[in-house]
Every structure is written in structure tokens, then in C-alpha cells.
Coordinates of all heavy atoms in Angstrom, one line a residue:
Y1 N 75.0 96.0 102.2 CA 75.8 96.5 103.3 C 75.0 97.0 104.4 O 73.9 97.6 104.1 CB 76.6 97.6 102.7 CG 77.8 97.2 101.9 CD1 78.0 97.3 100.4 CD2 78.9 96.6 102.6 CE1 79.1 97.1 99.9 CE2 80.1 96.2 101.9 CZ 80.2 96.5 100.5 OH 81.3 96.2 100.0
A2 N 75.4 96.7 105.5 CA 74.6 97.0 106.8 C 75.6 97.3 107.9 O 76.7 96.7 108.0 CB 73.8 95.8 107.2
N3 N 75.2 98.2 108.8 CA 75.9 98.5 110.0 C 75.4 97.3 111.1 O 74.3 97.3 111.3 CB 75.7 99.7 110.6 CG 76.4 100.9 109.8 OD1 75.7 101.6 109.1 ND2 77.6 101.1 109.8
M4 N 76.4 96.6 111.5 CA 76.0 95.4 112.4 C 77.2 95.0 113.2 O 78.4 95.0 112.8 CB 75.5 94.3 111.6 CG 76.3 93.7 110.4 SD 75.6 92.6 109.3 CE 75.3 91.3 110.5
G5 N 76.8 94.5 114.3 CA 77.7 93.8 115.2 C 78.7 94.6 115.9 O 78.9 95.7 115.7
K6 N 79.6 93.8 116.6 CA 80.9 94.4 117.3 C 82.0 93.5 117.3 O 81.9 92.3 117.3 CB 80.4 94.6 118.8 CG 81.5 95.2 119.6 CD 81.0 95.5 121.1 CE 82.0 96.0 122.0 NZ 81.5 96.2 123.4
T7 N 83.2 94.0 117.0 CA 84.4 93.2 116.9 C 85.4 93.7 117.9 O 85.5 94.8 118.3 CB 85.0 93.0 115.6 OG1 85.4 94.3 115.1 CG2 83.9 92.3 114.5
A8 N 86.3 92.8 118.3 CA 87.5 93.3 119.1 C 88.9 92.8 118.6 O 88.8 91.7 117.9 CB 87.4 92.6 120.6
N9 N 89.8 93.7 118.7 CA 91.2 93.3 118.0 C 92.1 93.5 119.3 O 92.0 94.5 120.0 CB 91.5 94.2 116.9 CG 90.9 93.8 115.6 OD1 91.5 93.1 114.9 ND2 89.6 94.2 115.2
R10 N 93.2 92.8 119.2 CA 94.3 93.1 120.0 C 95.4 92.4 119.4 O 95.4 91.5 118.6 CB 94.1 92.4 121.5 CG 94.1 90.9 121.4 CD 93.9 90.3 122.9 NE 94.0 89.0 122.9 CZ 92.9 88.1 122.8 NH1 91.6 88.7 122.5 NH2 93.2 86.8 122.9
G11 N 96.7 93.1 119.5 CA 97.9 92.7 118.8 C 99.1 93.3 119.4 O 99.1 94.1 120.3
I12 N 100.3 92.8 118.8 CA 101.6 93.3 119.2 C 102.4 93.6 117.9 O 102.3 92.9 117.0 CB 102.2 92.2 119.9 CG1 101.7 92.0 121.3 CG2 103.8 92.6 120.3 CD1 102.2 90.6 121.9
E13 N 103.0 94.7 117.8 CA 104.0 95.0 116.8 C 105.3 95.3 117.4 O 105.5 96.1 118.3 CB 103.4 96.3 116.1 CG 102.2 96.1 115.3 CD 101.5 97.4 114.5 OE1 102.2 98.4 114.8 OE2 100.7 97.2 113.7
L14 N 106.4 94.7 116.9 CA 107.7 94.7 117.3 C 108.7 95.1 116.2 O 108.5 94.5 115.2 CB 108.0 93.3 117.9 CG 109.4 93.1 118.3 CD1 109.8 94.0 119.7 CD2 109.7 91.6 118.6
T15 N 109.6 95.9 116.5 CA 110.6 96.3 115.6 C 112.0 96.3 116.4 O 112.1 96.8 117.5 CB 110.4 97.7 114.9 OG1 109.4 97.8 114.3 CG2 111.6 97.8 114.0
V16 N 112.9 95.5 115.9 CA 114.3 95.4 116.4 C 115.4 95.7 115.3 O 115.3 95.0 114.3 CB 114.5 93.9 117.2 CG1 115.9 93.9 117.7 CG2 113.5 93.7 118.2
N17 N 116.3 96.5 115.8 CA 117.4 96.8 114.8 C 118.8 96.5 115.6 O 118.9 96.9 116.8 CB 117.5 98.2 114.4 CG 116.2 98.5 113.4 OD1 116.2 97.8 112.4 ND2 115.4 99.3 113.9
S18 N 119.7 95.9 115.0 CA 120.8 95.5 115.7 C 122.2 95.7 114.8 O 122.0 95.6 113.6 CB 120.9 94.0 116.2 OG 121.0 93.2 115.2
R19 N 123.1 96.3 115.5 CA 124.5 96.4 114.8 C 125.3 95.2 115.3 O 126.1 95.4 116.4 CB 125.1 97.9 115.1 CG 126.3 98.1 114.2 CD 126.7 99.6 114.4 NE 127.3 99.8 115.8 CZ 126.7 100.4 116.7 NH1 125.5 100.9 116.6 NH2 127.3 100.6 117.9
N20 N 125.5 94.1 114.6 CA 126.1 92.9 115.0 C 127.6 93.0 114.9 O 128.3 92.7 115.9 CB 125.6 91.8 114.3 CG 124.1 91.7 114.0 OD1 123.5 91.8 115.1 ND2 123.5 91.4 113.0
I21 N 128.1 93.5 113.9 CA 129.6 93.6 113.7 C 129.9 95.0 113.1 O 129.2 95.4 112.1 CB 130.2 92.5 112.7 CG1 129.9 91.3 113.4 CG2 131.6 92.7 112.5 CD1 130.4 90.0 112.6
D22 N 130.9 95.7 113.5 CA 131.4 96.9 112.9 C 132.9 97.0 113.2 O 133.3 97.5 114.1 CB 130.7 98.0 113.6 CG 131.1 99.4 112.8 OD1 131.9 99.4 112.0 OD2 130.4 100.6 113.1
V23 N 133.7 96.3 112.3 CA 135.1 96.1 112.5 C 135.9 96.3 111.2 O 135.6 95.7 110.2 CB 135.5 94.7 113.1 CG1 136.9 94.6 113.2 CG2 134.8 94.5 114.4
N24 N 136.9 97.2 111.1 CA 137.7 97.4 110.1 C 137.0 97.6 108.8 O 137.4 97.0 107.7 CB 138.7 96.2 109.9 CG 139.6 96.0 111.1 OD1 140.0 97.0 111.8 ND2 139.9 94.8 111.4
G25 N 135.9 98.5 108.9 CA 135.3 98.8 107.7 C 134.3 97.7 107.2 O 133.4 97.9 106.3
F26 N 134.0 96.5 108.0 CA 133.1 95.5 107.6 C 131.9 95.8 108.7 O 132.1 95.8 109.9 CB 133.6 94.2 107.8 CG 132.6 93.1 107.6 CD1 132.1 92.8 106.4 CD2 132.1 92.4 108.8 CE1 131.1 91.8 106.2 CE2 131.2 91.4 108.7 CZ 130.7 91.1 107.4
T27 N 130.7 95.7 108.1 CA 129.6 96.0 109.1 C 128.5 94.9 108.7 O 128.4 94.5 107.5 CB 128.9 97.4 109.0 OG1 128.5 97.6 107.6 CG2 129.9 98.5 109.3
W28 N 127.8 94.5 109.8 CA 126.7 93.6 109.6 C 125.5 94.1 110.4 O 125.6 94.1 111.7 CB 127.1 92.2 110.0 CG 126.0 91.2 110.0 CD1 124.8 91.4 109.4 CD2 125.9 90.0 110.8 NE1 124.0 90.2 109.7 CE2 124.5 89.4 110.6 CE3 126.8 89.4 111.7 CZ2 124.2 88.2 111.2 CZ3 126.3 88.2 112.3 CH2 125.1 87.6 112.0
N29 N 124.4 94.5 109.9 CA 123.3 95.0 110.5 C 122.1 94.1 110.2 O 121.9 93.6 109.1 CB 122.9 96.5 110.2 CG 124.0 97.5 110.5 OD1 124.6 97.4 111.5 ND2 124.3 98.4 109.6
T30 N 121.2 94.0 111.3 CA 120.0 93.2 111.2 C 118.8 93.9 111.6 O 118.8 94.6 112.6 CB 120.2 92.0 112.0 OG1 121.2 91.1 111.6 CG2 118.9 91.1 111.9
G31 N 117.7 93.7 110.8 CA 116.5 94.5 111.1 C 115.3 93.4 111.3 O 115.2 92.5 110.3
L32 N 114.6 93.4 112.3 CA 113.5 92.5 112.5 C 112.2 93.1 112.7 O 112.1 94.2 113.6 CB 113.9 91.5 113.7 CG 112.6 90.6 114.1 CD1 112.4 89.5 113.1 CD2 113.0 89.9 115.5
V33 N 111.1 92.8 112.0 CA 109.8 93.3 112.3 C 108.8 92.0 112.5 O 108.9 91.0 111.8 CB 109.3 94.1 111.1 CG1 110.0 95.4 110.8 CG2 109.3 93.4 109.8
F34 N 107.9 92.3 113.4 CA 107.0 91.2 113.7 C 105.7 91.8 114.1 O 105.6 92.7 114.7 CB 107.5 90.3 114.9 CG 106.5 89.4 115.5 CD1 106.3 88.1 114.9 CD2 105.7 89.7 116.6 CE1 105.4 87.2 115.5 CE2 104.9 88.9 117.2 CZ 104.7 87.6 116.5
S35 N 104.5 91.1 113.6 CA 103.3 91.7 113.9 C 102.3 90.4 114.1 O 102.4 89.6 113.5 CB 102.8 92.5 112.7 OG 101.4 92.9 113.0
W36 N 101.5 90.5 115.3 CA 100.6 89.5 115.7 C 99.2 90.1 116.0 O 99.2 91.2 116.6 CB 101.1 88.7 117.0 CG 100.0 87.7 117.5 CD1 99.7 86.6 117.0 CD2 99.0 88.1 118.5 NE1 98.6 86.0 117.7 CE2 98.2 86.9 118.8 CE3 99.0 89.3 119.3 CZ2 97.3 87.0 119.7 CZ3 97.9 89.2 120.3 CH2 97.1 88.1 120.5
N37 N 98.2 89.6 115.3 CA 96.9 90.2 115.6 C 96.0 89.1 115.8 O 96.0 88.0 115.2 CB 96.5 91.0 114.4 CG 95.1 91.6 114.5 OD1 94.1 91.1 114.0 ND2 94.9 92.7 115.2
H38 N 94.8 89.4 116.9 CA 93.7 88.4 117.0 C 92.4 89.4 116.8 O 92.4 90.4 117.7 CB 94.0 87.8 118.4 CG 92.8 87.0 118.6 ND1 92.5 85.8 118.1 CD2 91.7 87.2 119.5 CE1 91.4 85.3 118.6 NE2 90.9 86.2 119.4
N39 N 91.5 88.9 116.1 CA 90.4 89.6 116.1 C 89.2 88.5 116.2 O 89.4 87.4 115.7 CB 90.1 90.5 114.8 CG 89.8 89.6 113.6 OD1 88.7 89.2 113.4 ND2 90.8 89.1 112.7
E40 N 88.1 89.1 116.8 CA 86.9 88.1 117.0 C 85.7 88.9 117.0 O 85.6 90.1 117.4 CB 87.0 87.4 118.2 CG 87.1 88.1 119.5 CD 87.2 87.2 120.9 OE1 86.2 86.9 121.2 OE2 88.3 87.0 121.2
I41 N 84.7 88.2 116.5 CA 83.3 88.8 116.5 C 82.8 88.8 118.0 O 82.7 87.6 118.6 CB 82.4 88.1 115.6 CG1 82.9 88.2 114.2 CG2 80.9 88.6 115.7 CD1 82.2 87.4 113.1
K42 N 82.3 89.9 118.5 CA 81.7 89.8 119.9 C 80.1 89.7 119.9 O 79.6 89.2 120.8 CB 82.1 91.1 120.6 CG 83.5 91.2 121.0 CD 83.9 90.1 121.9 CE 85.3 90.3 122.6 NZ 85.6 89.2 123.4
D43 N 79.5 90.4 118.8 CA 78.1 90.3 118.7 C 77.8 90.6 117.2 O 78.5 91.3 116.6 CB 77.4 91.2 119.7 CG 76.0 90.9 119.8 OD1 75.6 89.9 119.4 OD2 75.2 91.6 120.4

């Protein structure tokens, strides 16, 4: 094990919640999660 190098990370995290239908006691809800990440060795 050694301390070495340098890395860089960048990314996006997204959360979306929607109430699609809410009629006469019937409901439909949707939840979406998304995560994107890019990492690379700089040195």
C-alpha cells in the first residue's frame, strides 16, 4: 500500500418524483433516481 497519484471525479445525481394520477381514490406515483460518474487518473 502506498500514497500515490492524483485522481479527479465529476458527476451528476438526479432524483425526480411525480404524482401522475390522483383520481377517485386511485393514485399512481413514480420515482426516478439517476447517477453518472466519471473518474480518471491525473498523475
